Amino acid sequence: MSLTVNLYYTGKNGSAKRFVYEMISSGVVTKIRQEPGNLKYHYFQSLSDPETILLIDSWENQIVLDKHHESPMMTTIATLRDKYDLHMHVERYREDDAPDDTDSDFIRK
């Protein structure tokens, strides 16, 4: 059962955006996307709060997410969060058993 974690990074004076740029330019994002079990790792900027960046981070299961959290890469991420003085809010979602076409009447393709 897959797991998705939404992480909201909030800073001041563009610090969250600079954090993302450093995550990308340093190669950390590419390495995370290549980790076994990573399904998605994408950043988005809030339209209602330009000081907040959303990370949508999906994994095959809790076991592979735990391995990611135990990796040395987490030290790098924590150091960058501190560097940019970011505060976080986290939401977790698990895949449900609904058929893939459950919402098809509401989706425009």
Side-chain angles (χ1 to χ4, degrees), residues 57-73:
D57 188 16
S58 295
W59 298 85
E60 287 178 357
N61 55 49
Q62 186 64 52
I63 294 167
V64 294
L65 179 56
D66 289 343
K67 287 181 182 178
H68 167 67
H69 286 155
E70 294 168 0
S71 74
M73 203 167 325

Side-chain angles (χ1 to χ4, degrees), residues 50-85:
E51 295 297 338
T52 296
I53 298 287
L54 166 64
L55 167 63
I56 299 178
D57 188 16
S58 295
W59 298 85
E60 287 178 357
N61 55 49
Q62 186 64 52
I63 294 167
V64 294
L65 179 56
D66 289 343
K67 287 181 182 178
H68 167 67
H69 286 155
E70 294 168 0
S71 74
M73 203 167 325
M74 288 306 298
T75 302
T76 302
I77 294 169
T79 299
L80 289 175
R81 285 192 307 236
D82 289 344
K83 175 181 177 179
Y84 292 103
D85 192 25

Side-chain angles (χ1 to χ4, degrees), residues 13-105:
N13 301 316
S15 62
K17 195 171 183 178
R18 289 193 307 276
F19 163 79
V20 171
Y21 286 141
E22 188 162 346
M23 287 283 293
I24 293 168
S25 66
S26 67
V28 172
V29 169
T30 299
K31 290 176 186 174
I32 292 170
R33 289 177 178 158
Q34 293 171 347
E35 285 186 74
N38 182 262
L39 303 173
K40 184 184 300 182
Y41 197 89
H42 297 288
Y43 290 102
F44 300 90
Q45 185 168 16
S46 172
L47 294 175
S48 61
D49 179 4
E51 295 297 338
T52 296
I53 298 287
L54 166 64
L55 167 63
I56 299 178
D57 188 16
S58 295
W59 298 85
E60 287 178 357
N61 55 49
Q62 186 64 52
I63 294 167
V64 294
L65 179 56
D66 289 343
K67 287 181 182 178
H68 167 67
H69 286 155
E70 294 168 0
S71 74
M73 203 167 325
M74 288 306 298
T75 302
T76 302
I77 294 169
T79 299
L80 289 175
R81 285 192 307 236
D82 289 344
K83 175 181 177 179
Y84 292 103
D85 192 25
L86 299 179
H87 300 273
M88 299 168 59
H89 167 76
V90 178
E91 302 169 340
R92 293 173 53 99
Y93 301 95
R94 294 189 185 277
E95 180 180 21
D96 66 15
D97 295 330
D100 289 341
D101 64 351
T102 301
D103 299 317
S104 62
D105 290 343

